[in-house]
PDB file of all heavy atoms in Angstrom:
ATOM      1  N   GLU A  15      -4.313  -0.597 -11.181  1.00  0.00           N
ATOM      2  CA  GLU A  15      -3.203   0.069 -11.883  1.00  0.00           C
ATOM      3  C   GLU A  15      -1.873  -0.115 -11.151  1.00  0.00           C
ATOM      4  O   GLU A  15      -0.888   0.520 -11.502  1.00  0.00           O
ATOM      5  CB  GLU A  15      -3.507   1.563 -12.066  1.00  0.00           C
ATOM      6  CG  GLU A  15      -4.693   1.838 -12.971  1.00  0.00           C
ATOM      7  CD  GLU A  15      -6.046   1.641 -12.262  1.00  0.00           C
ATOM      8  OE1 GLU A  15      -6.122   1.854 -11.032  1.00  0.00           O
ATOM      9  OE2 GLU A  15      -7.006   1.250 -12.945  1.00  0.00           O
ATOM     10  N   HIS A  16      -1.860  -0.956 -10.117  1.00  0.00           N
ATOM     11  CA  HIS A  16      -0.632  -1.353  -9.402  1.00  0.00           C
ATOM     12  C   HIS A  16      -0.087  -0.306  -8.437  1.00  0.00           C
ATOM     13  O   HIS A  16       1.112  -0.222  -8.213  1.00  0.00           O
ATOM     14  CB  HIS A  16       0.451  -1.819 -10.392  1.00  0.00           C
ATOM     15  CG  HIS A  16      -0.051  -2.859 -11.330  1.00  0.00           C
ATOM     16  ND1 HIS A  16      -0.351  -4.142 -10.928  1.00  0.00           N
ATOM     17  CD2 HIS A  16      -0.366  -2.794 -12.654  1.00  0.00           C
ATOM     18  CE1 HIS A  16      -0.811  -4.827 -11.964  1.00  0.00           C
ATOM     19  NE2 HIS A  16      -0.832  -4.038 -13.010  1.00  0.00           N
ATOM     20  N   GLU A  17      -0.985   0.472  -7.851  1.00  0.00           N
ATOM     21  CA  GLU A  17      -0.591   1.335  -6.741  1.00  0.00           C
ATOM     22  C   GLU A  17      -1.041   0.675  -5.436  1.00  0.00           C
ATOM     23  O   GLU A  17      -2.045  -0.036  -5.412  1.00  0.00           O
ATOM     24  CB  GLU A  17      -1.241   2.730  -6.835  1.00  0.00           C
ATOM     25  CG  GLU A  17      -0.674   3.608  -7.931  1.00  0.00           C
ATOM     26  CD  GLU A  17      -1.313   3.347  -9.283  1.00  0.00           C
ATOM     27  OE1 GLU A  17      -2.467   2.911  -9.335  1.00  0.00           O
ATOM     28  OE2 GLU A  17      -0.632   3.565 -10.297  1.00  0.00           O
ATOM     29  N   TRP A  18      -0.278   0.929  -4.366  1.00  0.00           N
ATOM     30  CA  TRP A  18      -0.719   0.503  -3.036  1.00  0.00           C
ATOM     31  C   TRP A  18      -1.103   1.734  -2.235  1.00  0.00           C
ATOM     32  O   TRP A  18      -0.621   2.832  -2.500  1.00  0.00           O
ATOM     33  CB  TRP A  18       0.335  -0.327  -2.303  1.00  0.00           C
ATOM     34  CG  TRP A  18       1.670   0.322  -2.093  1.00  0.00           C
ATOM     35  CD1 TRP A  18       2.781   0.173  -2.871  1.00  0.00           C
ATOM     36  CD2 TRP A  18       2.055   1.216  -1.033  1.00  0.00           C
ATOM     37  NE1 TRP A  18       3.824   0.908  -2.361  1.00  0.00           N
ATOM     38  CE2 TRP A  18       3.400   1.555  -1.235  1.00  0.00           C
ATOM     39  CE3 TRP A  18       1.391   1.752   0.071  1.00  0.00           C
ATOM     40  CZ2 TRP A  18       4.092   2.418  -0.379  1.00  0.00           C
ATOM     41  CZ3 TRP A  18       2.076   2.610   0.926  1.00  0.00           C
ATOM     42  CH2 TRP A  18       3.417   2.936   0.686  1.00  0.00           C
ATOM     43  N   VAL A  19      -1.996   1.525  -1.268  1.00  0.00           N
ATOM     44  CA  VAL A  19      -2.530   2.610  -0.453  1.00  0.00           C
ATOM     45  C   VAL A  19      -2.497   2.152   1.003  1.00  0.00           C
ATOM     46  O   VAL A  19      -3.011   1.084   1.330  1.00  0.00           O
ATOM     47  CB  VAL A  19      -3.976   2.951  -0.865  1.00  0.00           C
ATOM     48  CG1 VAL A  19      -4.542   4.062   0.000  1.00  0.00           C
ATOM     49  CG2 VAL A  19      -4.047   3.326  -2.343  1.00  0.00           C
ATOM     50  N   GLN A  20      -1.897   2.975   1.864  1.00  0.00           N
ATOM     51  CA  GLN A  20      -1.823   2.673   3.295  1.00  0.00           C
ATOM     52  C   GLN A  20      -2.460   3.822   4.066  1.00  0.00           C
ATOM     53  O   GLN A  20      -2.051   4.974   3.915  1.00  0.00           O
ATOM     54  CB  GLN A  20      -0.361   2.521   3.724  1.00  0.00           C
ATOM     55  CG  GLN A  20      -0.195   2.278   5.205  1.00  0.00           C
ATOM     56  CD  GLN A  20       1.270   2.230   5.608  1.00  0.00           C
ATOM     57  OE1 GLN A  20       2.084   3.005   5.110  1.00  0.00           O
ATOM     58  NE2 GLN A  20       1.603   1.321   6.495  1.00  0.00           N
ATOM     59  N   ARG A  21      -3.451   3.492   4.863  1.00  0.00           N
ATOM     60  CA  ARG A  21      -4.069   4.530   5.695  1.00  0.00           C
ATOM     61  C   ARG A  21      -3.074   4.948   6.770  1.00  0.00           C
ATOM     62  O   ARG A  21      -2.537   4.118   7.487  1.00  0.00           O
ATOM     63  CB  ARG A  21      -5.347   3.998   6.322  1.00  0.00           C
ATOM     64  CG  ARG A  21      -6.154   5.090   6.992  1.00  0.00           C
ATOM     65  CD  ARG A  21      -7.483   4.578   7.488  1.00  0.00           C
ATOM     66  NE  ARG A  21      -8.420   5.687   7.511  1.00  0.00           N
ATOM     67  CZ  ARG A  21      -9.711   5.572   7.320  1.00  0.00           C
ATOM     68  NH1 ARG A  21     -10.236   4.390   7.081  1.00  0.00           N
ATOM     69  NH2 ARG A  21     -10.487   6.628   7.372  1.00  0.00           N
ATOM     70  N   THR A  22      -2.831   6.252   6.864  1.00  0.00           N
ATOM     71  CA  THR A  22      -1.873   6.773   7.841  1.00  0.00           C
ATOM     72  C   THR A  22      -2.530   7.690   8.858  1.00  0.00           C
ATOM     73  O   THR A  22      -1.883   8.114   9.812  1.00  0.00           O
ATOM     74  CB  THR A  22      -0.733   7.533   7.135  1.00  0.00           C
ATOM     75  OG1 THR A  22      -1.307   8.582   6.333  1.00  0.00           O
ATOM     76  CG2 THR A  22       0.091   6.604   6.261  1.00  0.00           C
ATOM     77  N   GLY A  23      -3.804   8.010   8.657  1.00  0.00           N
ATOM     78  CA  GLY A  23      -4.544   8.875   9.567  1.00  0.00           C
ATOM     79  C   GLY A  23      -6.018   8.781   9.253  1.00  0.00           C
ATOM     80  O   GLY A  23      -6.412   8.073   8.331  1.00  0.00           O
ATOM     81  N   PRO A  24      -6.846   9.500  10.004  1.00  0.00           N
ATOM     82  CA  PRO A  24      -8.293   9.415   9.775  1.00  0.00           C
ATOM     83  C   PRO A  24      -8.702   9.732   8.330  1.00  0.00           C
ATOM     84  O   PRO A  24      -9.604   9.107   7.797  1.00  0.00           O
ATOM     85  CB  PRO A  24      -8.875  10.445  10.750  1.00  0.00           C
ATOM     86  CG  PRO A  24      -7.838  10.586  11.816  1.00  0.00           C
ATOM     87  CD  PRO A  24      -6.515  10.372  11.134  1.00  0.00           C
ATOM     88  N   ALA A  25      -8.017  10.693   7.708  1.00  0.00           N
ATOM     89  CA  ALA A  25      -8.356  11.077   6.335  1.00  0.00           C
ATOM     90  C   ALA A  25      -7.103  11.126   5.452  1.00  0.00           C
ATOM     91  O   ALA A  25      -7.081  11.805   4.426  1.00  0.00           O
ATOM     92  CB  ALA A  25      -9.073  12.422   6.327  1.00  0.00           C
ATOM     93  N   ALA A  26      -6.043  10.421   5.859  1.00  0.00           N
ATOM     94  CA  ALA A  26      -4.771  10.493   5.139  1.00  0.00           C
ATOM     95  C   ALA A  26      -4.278   9.107   4.735  1.00  0.00           C
ATOM     96  O   ALA A  26      -4.536   8.119   5.425  1.00  0.00           O
ATOM     97  CB  ALA A  26      -3.714  11.179   6.001  1.00  0.00           C
ATOM     98  N   VAL A  27      -3.563   9.072   3.603  1.00  0.00           N
ATOM     99  CA  VAL A  27      -2.984   7.825   3.104  1.00  0.00           C
ATOM    100  C   VAL A  27      -1.601   8.082   2.527  1.00  0.00           C
ATOM    101  O   VAL A  27      -1.256   9.205   2.168  1.00  0.00           O
ATOM    102  CB  VAL A  27      -3.856   7.168   1.997  1.00  0.00           C
ATOM    103  CG1 VAL A  27      -5.192   6.699   2.546  1.00  0.00           C
ATOM    104  CG2 VAL A  27      -4.042   8.097   0.811  1.00  0.00           C
ATOM    105  N   ARG A  28      -0.826   7.020   2.453  1.00  0.00           N
ATOM    106  CA  ARG A  28       0.468   7.022   1.759  1.00  0.00           C
ATOM    107  C   ARG A  28       0.292   6.142   0.522  1.00  0.00           C
ATOM    108  O   ARG A  28      -0.344   5.090   0.580  1.00  0.00           O
ATOM    109  CB  ARG A  28       1.547   6.466   2.670  1.00  0.00           C
ATOM    110  CG  ARG A  28       2.906   6.363   2.001  1.00  0.00           C
ATOM    111  CD  ARG A  28       4.012   6.278   3.014  1.00  0.00           C
ATOM    112  NE  ARG A  28       4.247   7.643   3.528  1.00  0.00           N
ATOM    113  CZ  ARG A  28       5.142   7.933   4.461  1.00  0.00           C
ATOM    114  NH1 ARG A  28       5.865   6.991   5.020  1.00  0.00           N
ATOM    115  NH2 ARG A  28       5.312   9.179   4.863  1.00  0.00           N
ATOM    116  N   ILE A  29       0.884   6.580  -0.593  1.00  0.00           N
ATOM    117  CA  ILE A  29       0.740   5.900  -1.878  1.00  0.00           C
ATOM    118  C   ILE A  29       2.111   5.489  -2.402  1.00  0.00           C
ATOM    119  O   ILE A  29       3.090   6.224  -2.243  1.00  0.00           O
ATOM    120  CB  ILE A  29       0.116   6.855  -2.939  1.00  0.00           C
ATOM    121  CG1 ILE A  29      -1.152   7.518  -2.433  1.00  0.00           C
ATOM    122  CG2 ILE A  29      -0.101   6.146  -4.276  1.00  0.00           C
ATOM    123  CD1 ILE A  29      -2.312   6.622  -2.223  1.00  0.00           C
ATOM    124  N   GLY A  30       2.159   4.356  -3.068  1.00  0.00           N
ATOM    125  CA  GLY A  30       3.368   3.919  -3.760  1.00  0.00           C
ATOM    126  C   GLY A  30       2.991   2.961  -4.875  1.00  0.00           C
ATOM    127  O   GLY A  30       1.813   2.704  -5.106  1.00  0.00           O
ATOM    128  N   ILE A  31       3.997   2.448  -5.576  1.00  0.00           N
ATOM    129  CA  ILE A  31       3.714   1.413  -6.567  1.00  0.00           C
ATOM    130  C   ILE A  31       4.081   0.064  -5.956  1.00  0.00           C
ATOM    131  O   ILE A  31       4.944  -0.031  -5.093  1.00  0.00           O
ATOM    132  CB  ILE A  31       4.428   1.640  -7.915  1.00  0.00           C
ATOM    133  CG1 ILE A  31       5.947   1.534  -7.794  1.00  0.00           C
ATOM    134  CG2 ILE A  31       3.997   2.971  -8.530  1.00  0.00           C
ATOM    135  CD1 ILE A  31       6.657   1.465  -9.140  1.00  0.00           C
ATOM    136  N   THR A  32       3.393  -0.965  -6.405  1.00  0.00           N
ATOM    137  CA  THR A  32       3.555  -2.288  -5.810  1.00  0.00           C
ATOM    138  C   THR A  32       4.862  -2.953  -6.207  1.00  0.00           C
ATOM    139  O   THR A  32       5.523  -2.556  -7.173  1.00  0.00           O
ATOM    140  CB  THR A  32       2.397  -3.199  -6.227  1.00  0.00           C
ATOM    141  OG1 THR A  32       2.465  -3.408  -7.637  1.00  0.00           O
ATOM    142  CG2 THR A  32       1.041  -2.618  -5.833  1.00  0.00           C
ATOM    143  N   ASP A  33       5.199  -3.979  -5.459  1.00  0.00           N
ATOM    144  CA  ASP A  33       6.370  -4.789  -5.772  1.00  0.00           C
ATOM    145  C   ASP A  33       6.241  -5.374  -7.181  1.00  0.00           C
ATOM    146  O   ASP A  33       7.201  -5.400  -7.945  1.00  0.00           O
ATOM    147  CB  ASP A  33       6.507  -5.892  -4.718  1.00  0.00           C
ATOM    148  CG  ASP A  33       7.810  -6.656  -4.811  1.00  0.00           C
ATOM    149  OD1 ASP A  33       8.838  -6.049  -5.188  1.00  0.00           O
ATOM    150  OD2 ASP A  33       7.814  -7.854  -4.508  1.00  0.00           O
ATOM    151  N   PHE A  34       5.040  -5.826  -7.531  1.00  0.00           N
ATOM    152  CA  PHE A  34       4.799  -6.345  -8.879  1.00  0.00           C
ATOM    153  C   PHE A  34       5.119  -5.278  -9.930  1.00  0.00           C
ATOM    154  O   PHE A  34       5.817  -5.543 -10.910  1.00  0.00           O
ATOM    155  CB  PHE A  34       3.347  -6.808  -9.020  1.00  0.00           C
ATOM    156  CG  PHE A  34       2.993  -7.265 -10.406  1.00  0.00           C
ATOM    157  CD1 PHE A  34       3.300  -8.557 -10.823  1.00  0.00           C
ATOM    158  CD2 PHE A  34       2.346  -6.421 -11.289  1.00  0.00           C
ATOM    159  CE1 PHE A  34       2.985  -8.978 -12.108  1.00  0.00           C
ATOM    160  CE2 PHE A  34       2.030  -6.832 -12.573  1.00  0.00           C
ATOM    161  CZ  PHE A  34       2.343  -8.122 -12.982  1.00  0.00           C
ATOM    162  N   ALA A  35       4.629  -4.056  -9.716  1.00  0.00           N
ATOM    163  CA  ALA A  35       4.843  -2.976 -10.678  1.00  0.00           C
ATOM    164  C   ALA A  35       6.327  -2.647 -10.828  1.00  0.00           C
ATOM    165  O   ALA A  35       6.831  -2.503 -11.947  1.00  0.00           O
ATOM    166  CB  ALA A  35       4.071  -1.729 -10.263  1.00  0.00           C
ATOM    167  N   GLN A  36       7.045  -2.536  -9.703  1.00  0.00           N
ATOM    168  CA  GLN A  36       8.461  -2.182  -9.809  1.00  0.00           C
ATOM    169  C   GLN A  36       9.237  -3.305 -10.487  1.00  0.00           C
ATOM    170  O   GLN A  36      10.186  -3.050 -11.223  1.00  0.00           O
ATOM    171  CB  GLN A  36       9.063  -1.792  -8.457  1.00  0.00           C
ATOM    172  CG  GLN A  36       9.254  -2.890  -7.435  1.00  0.00           C
ATOM    173  CD  GLN A  36      10.485  -3.750  -7.653  1.00  0.00           C
ATOM    174  OE1 GLN A  36      11.437  -3.349  -8.317  1.00  0.00           O
ATOM    175  NE2 GLN A  36      10.444  -4.958  -7.125  1.00  0.00           N
ATOM    176  N   SER A  37       8.817  -4.559 -10.284  1.00  0.00           N
ATOM    177  CA  SER A  37       9.527  -5.676 -10.917  1.00  0.00           C
ATOM    178  C   SER A  37       9.293  -5.683 -12.427  1.00  0.00           C
ATOM    179  O   SER A  37      10.175  -6.063 -13.194  1.00  0.00           O
ATOM    180  CB  SER A  37       9.124  -7.013 -10.291  1.00  0.00           C
ATOM    181  OG  SER A  37       7.796  -7.364 -10.622  1.00  0.00           O
ATOM    182  N   GLN A  38       8.110  -5.268 -12.848  1.00  0.00           N
ATOM    183  CA  GLN A  38       7.801  -5.178 -14.273  1.00  0.00           C
ATOM    184  C   GLN A  38       8.539  -4.015 -14.937  1.00  0.00           C
ATOM    185  O   GLN A  38       8.928  -4.106 -16.092  1.00  0.00           O
ATOM    186  CB  GLN A  38       6.285  -5.017 -14.492  1.00  0.00           C
ATOM    187  CG  GLN A  38       5.458  -6.197 -14.021  1.00  0.00           C
ATOM    188  CD  GLN A  38       5.741  -7.463 -14.799  1.00  0.00           C
ATOM    189  OE1 GLN A  38       5.633  -7.480 -16.016  1.00  0.00           O
ATOM    190  NE2 GLN A  38       6.139  -8.509 -14.101  1.00  0.00           N
ATOM    191  N   LEU A  39       8.727  -2.928 -14.195  1.00  0.00           N
ATOM    192  CA  LEU A  39       9.393  -1.745 -14.735  1.00  0.00           C
ATOM    193  C   LEU A  39      10.885  -1.956 -14.947  1.00  0.00           C
ATOM    194  O   LEU A  39      11.461  -1.422 -15.881  1.00  0.00           O
ATOM    195  CB  LEU A  39       9.207  -0.559 -13.791  1.00  0.00           C
ATOM    196  CG  LEU A  39       7.887   0.164 -13.832  1.00  0.00           C
ATOM    197  CD1 LEU A  39       7.784   1.139 -12.662  1.00  0.00           C
ATOM    198  CD2 LEU A  39       7.720   0.896 -15.148  1.00  0.00           C
ATOM    199  N   GLY A  40      11.505  -2.681 -14.040  1.00  0.00           N
ATOM    200  CA  GLY A  40      12.966  -2.776 -14.067  1.00  0.00           C
ATOM    201  C   GLY A  40      13.559  -1.657 -13.230  1.00  0.00           C
ATOM    202  O   GLY A  40      12.886  -1.065 -12.388  1.00  0.00           O
ATOM    203  N   ASP A  41      14.817  -1.344 -13.463  1.00  0.00           N
ATOM    204  CA  ASP A  41      15.541  -0.373 -12.638  1.00  0.00           C
ATOM    205  C   ASP A  41      14.970   1.034 -12.802  1.00  0.00           C
ATOM    206  O   ASP A  41      15.029   1.611 -13.892  1.00  0.00           O
ATOM    207  CB  ASP A  41      17.025  -0.360 -13.001  1.00  0.00           C
ATOM    208  CG  ASP A  41      17.714  -1.668 -12.652  1.00  0.00           C
ATOM    209  OD1 ASP A  41      17.225  -2.379 -11.745  1.00  0.00           O
ATOM    210  OD2 ASP A  41      18.739  -1.986 -13.279  1.00  0.00           O
ATOM    211  N   VAL A  42      14.436   1.595 -11.720  1.00  0.00           N
ATOM    212  CA  VAL A  42      13.870   2.942 -11.734  1.00  0.00           C
ATOM    213  C   VAL A  42      15.007   3.956 -11.693  1.00  0.00           C
ATOM    214  O   VAL A  42      15.898   3.875 -10.846  1.00  0.00           O
ATOM    215  CB  VAL A  42      12.893   3.144 -10.559  1.00  0.00           C
ATOM    216  CG1 VAL A  42      12.431   4.590 -10.477  1.00  0.00           C
ATOM    217  CG2 VAL A  42      11.702   2.194 -10.697  1.00  0.00           C
ATOM    218  N   VAL A  43      14.970   4.913 -12.630  1.00  0.00           N
ATOM    219  CA  VAL A  43      16.036   5.913 -12.736  1.00  0.00           C
ATOM    220  C   VAL A  43      15.553   7.339 -12.474  1.00  0.00           C
ATOM    221  O   VAL A  43      16.353   8.241 -12.265  1.00  0.00           O
ATOM    222  CB  VAL A  43      16.732   5.847 -14.115  1.00  0.00           C
ATOM    223  CG1 VAL A  43      17.445   4.506 -14.282  1.00  0.00           C
ATOM    224  CG2 VAL A  43      15.760   6.079 -15.254  1.00  0.00           C
ATOM    225  N   PHE A  44      14.223   7.558 -12.466  1.00  0.00           N
ATOM    226  CA  PHE A  44      13.689   8.903 -12.252  1.00  0.00           C
ATOM    227  C   PHE A  44      12.232   8.795 -11.820  1.00  0.00           C
ATOM    228  O   PHE A  44      11.496   7.955 -12.328  1.00  0.00           O
ATOM    229  CB  PHE A  44      13.785   9.740 -13.538  1.00  0.00           C
ATOM    230  CG  PHE A  44      13.256  11.139 -13.401  1.00  0.00           C
ATOM    231  CD1 PHE A  44      13.960  12.100 -12.701  1.00  0.00           C
ATOM    232  CD2 PHE A  44      12.042  11.487 -13.974  1.00  0.00           C
ATOM    233  CE1 PHE A  44      13.462  13.388 -12.565  1.00  0.00           C
ATOM    234  CE2 PHE A  44      11.545  12.780 -13.845  1.00  0.00           C
ATOM    235  CZ  PHE A  44      12.258  13.733 -13.151  1.00  0.00           C
ATOM    236  N   VAL A  45      11.837   9.662 -10.884  1.00  0.00           N
ATOM    237  CA  VAL A  45      10.452   9.716 -10.427  1.00  0.00           C
ATOM    238  C   VAL A  45       9.993  11.170 -10.477  1.00  0.00           C
ATOM    239  O   VAL A  45      10.668  12.054  -9.951  1.00  0.00           O
ATOM    240  CB  VAL A  45      10.312   9.164  -8.995  1.00  0.00           C
ATOM    241  CG1 VAL A  45       8.869   9.244  -8.525  1.00  0.00           C
ATOM    242  CG2 VAL A  45      10.812   7.725  -8.911  1.00  0.00           C
ATOM    243  N   GLN A  46       8.860  11.414 -11.134  1.00  0.00           N
ATOM    244  CA  GLN A  46       8.266  12.756 -11.197  1.00  0.00           C
ATOM    245  C   GLN A  46       6.967  12.730 -10.401  1.00  0.00           C
ATOM    246  O   GLN A  46       6.082  11.921 -10.691  1.00  0.00           O
ATOM    247  CB  GLN A  46       7.978  13.153 -12.642  1.00  0.00           C
ATOM    248  CG  GLN A  46       7.302  14.497 -12.771  1.00  0.00           C
ATOM    249  CD  GLN A  46       6.848  14.790 -14.191  1.00  0.00           C
ATOM    250  OE1 GLN A  46       6.976  13.977 -15.093  1.00  0.00           O
ATOM    251  NE2 GLN A  46       6.296  15.962 -14.389  1.00  0.00           N
ATOM    252  N   LEU A  47       6.884  13.603  -9.396  1.00  0.00           N
ATOM    253  CA  LEU A  47       5.727  13.617  -8.510  1.00  0.00           C
ATOM    254  C   LEU A  47       5.167  15.029  -8.386  1.00  0.00           C
ATOM    255  O   LEU A  47       5.875  16.005  -8.639  1.00  0.00           O
ATOM    256  CB  LEU A  47       6.139  13.106  -7.120  1.00  0.00           C
ATOM    257  CG  LEU A  47       6.643  11.665  -7.074  1.00  0.00           C
ATOM    258  CD1 LEU A  47       7.251  11.351  -5.721  1.00  0.00           C
ATOM    259  CD2 LEU A  47       5.525  10.698  -7.411  1.00  0.00           C
TER     260      LEU A  47
END
Side-chain angles (χ1 to χ4, degrees):
E15 295 79 30
H16 308 290
E17 288 84 27
W18 58 264
V19 179
Q20 177 184 40
R21 190 174 207 149
T22 57
V27 294
R28 177 160 282 179
I29 309 292
I31 66 168
T32 65
D33 189 33
F34 176 82
Q36 70 80 21
S37 70
Q38 297 295 304
L39 281 170
D41 294 335
V42 173
V43 296
F44 180 73
V45 179
Q46 177 188 3
L47 298 170

